[in-house]
Structure formats: structure tokens, C-alpha cells
Amino acid sequence: MTRFLDKSIILLAGQSNMAGRGGVINNIWDQVIPPLSNPNPTILRLDPKLHWHEAKEPLHKGIDINHTCGIGPGLAFANSIANRVPSVGVVGLVPCAEGGTNISQWGKGGRLYGQLVKRATTSLRDGGSIQALVWYQGESDTVIKVDAQRWP
């Protein structure tokens, strides 16, 4: 992929809703893509092997490896930004979400934190700057009462 020195990088983290479960029924993705999640040549994805490619759904395929990925909010979010703020230039999405995790598993020193930092750091090597971290946490923190009570 051509180097884009002015990438606006957005990290995508959290659990299943961010990783994309839209259109997944019985562990099979229906491959239906809503218009706002269509590919856009100005939106890139950092793939599992740490290379930039044009972003397409499912964004977290190969990242959330223990689950079937479908549509998540990342590409729609990036398309919304690109449409509303054309001066943003090239958007680089860095998928890092993993379904079924709770927020305590993302703490400093943990595996998920390490992967997020590695992918974020690598995303900068060809230029650009991290503009946002979009976090979408789901229900895993409500299963155990103590975890749920930690939330304000």
C-alpha cells in the first residue's frame, strides 16, 4: 500500500460490539454491508500482519480470531468523519477489539493492552498521528456483580 504520511489514525478497541457482530447469526456472517460501511479509498485498515490496506468489512477479521466477525461501528464512523470533514485526509483504522473480554483484561501489562500498544505504535511507522481511540465496551462487565459495581 502506498505510504500516506498524513493519516488520521483511529484506534478501535473494546469487545464484541466494536469487533463487529452485526449480521452474524449462528456464527455465520450474512455479508450484508450497510451503505455507511462501504469501502472508501481514503480509509485504510491495519491488517493482522501490520500492513495497511483499503478498509472493508469485517474490520476485525483476523484480529478477534476466536469469533465470527461481521459489521461493527468502525468503518461507518470513519466514513462519517471523511464525509463531514474532508480535510481529515486519509483515515487509518487500527482494529484491536476482542469479543468476550472485560475491561479489567485491558489493563496495563496485560495481553490486550500489549496488543493495542503494539498495533498503535506500528500504525505510526509510515506517518500519521493518532487522533482518537474509539472504545465500545459491551456486557461482559455485567456478568459478575463485583465487575458491574466498578462502573460509576
Side-chain angles (χ1 to χ4, degrees):
M1 171 66 49
T2 304
R3 296 173 79 159
F4 293 97
L5 299 179
D6 62 345
K7 282 189 303 297
S8 295
I9 297 170
I10 300 171
L11 308 176
L12 305 173
Q15 53 178 199
S16 60
N17 292 318
M18 178 59 81
R21 297 300 182 264
V24 175
I25 300 170
N26 297 322
N27 295 318
I28 297 171
W29 178 42
D30 64 13
Q31 300 191 26
V32 174
I33 300 173
L36 200 50
S37 293
N38 281 330
N40 176 332
T42 67
I43 301 173
L44 307 177
R45 169 192 184 248
L46 189 68
D47 74 15
K49 295 185 179 187
L50 307 174
H51 300 288
W52 290 107
H53 299 281
E54 184 174 322
K56 64 179 184 175
E57 295 290 1
L59 285 179
H60 280 80
K61 183 177 181 179
I63 303 296
D64 187 9
I65 59 172
N66 294 317
H67 302 94
T68 302
C69 295
I71 303 294
L75 195 50
F77 180 75
N79 271 313
S80 292
I81 291 171
N83 292 335
R84 289 189 173 102
V85 188
S87 63
V88 76
V90 174
V91 175
L93 297 176
V94 181
C96 301
E98 190 170 312
T101 59
N102 62 45
I103 202 158
S104 65
Q105 292 175 275
W106 288 86
K108 189 172 184 177
R111 178 184 65 82
L112 296 172
Y113 178 86
Q115 287 178 346
L116 183 131
V117 170
K118 177 183 178 183
R119 291 181 59 73
T121 302
T122 302
S123 74
L124 299 170
R125 76 172 171 223
D126 293 329
S129 60
I130 296 173
Q131 298 296 311
L133 164 65
V134 181
W135 188 279
Y136 194 162
Q137 190 67 18
E139 298 83 28
S140 288
D141 288 299
T142 64
V143 175
I144 299 171
K145 188 175 183 177
V146 172
D147 289 338
Q149 290 173 331
R150 289 184 187 150
W151 287 86

